[in-house]
Amino acid sequence: MSEYTQGIYIDGTYFDVPLVSVKREAKFLDKYAEREEETGDLLRELIGVYINYTMNFGTIDDDDTYEKLWDTLTQPVAFHDVTLPSTKRHYTFRCYVSSVSDEMEKILDDTVKFKGLTCKYIAKAPARTP
């Protein structure tokens, strides 16, 4: 599996880290959606389409870079501005981090090496509206 050749920006800070997978999901949010009683026809008003991401990072060998990324992703703030690789070179959006996970790979004398860092970003506002 090849890695992406671009890193990411979070709140203006560039992280030159290997991206193994960047999964994009378009979620459609309705103001209301209900069925008409007589015909069963769906009545709906769409607020917009929210673009959310799940990102899997590759092995980050530098402990300082790993800790800085972990600290940024788990920072207790309402929102982040994230710039990801895209077909148009990059896509920037405001989001919140809904979850971050990793697992210990090696416990060494002076450090711990982690693997499988995964992060989920949920968009604050719709990317597309009707």
Side-chain angles (χ1 to χ4, degrees), residues 7-16 68-69 72 81-83:
I8 62 167
Y9 286 90
I10 303 173
D11 299 330
T13 300
Y14 181 69
F15 291 90
D16 187 11
K68 184 175 180 182
L69 179 58
T72 300
D81 293 311
V82 175
T83 301

Side-chain angles (χ1 to χ4, degrees), residues 44-106:
R44 120 186 238 224
E45 183 178 343
L46 182 65
I47 293 173
V49 181
Y50 293 73
I51 308 299
N52 302 324
Y53 289 85
T54 300
M55 182 174 293
N56 297 309
F57 297 88
T59 300
I60 301 169
D61 293 322
D62 182 66
D63 290 347
D64 292 335
T65 300
Y66 192 91
E67 284 300 313
K68 184 175 180 182
L69 179 58
W70 176 267
D71 288 346
T72 300
L73 293 173
T74 60
Q75 186 178 13
V77 297
F79 298 101
H80 291 282
D81 293 311
V82 175
T83 301
L84 302 174
S86 181
T87 56
K88 302 291 185 188
R89 296 292 293 145
H90 67 275
Y91 174 67
T92 301
F93 68 114
R94 179 159 278 199
C95 62
Y96 68 90
V97 176
S98 68
S99 68
V100 179
S101 65
D102 64 6
E103 76 180 275
M104 289 183 183
E105 181 177 28
K106 296 178 189 174

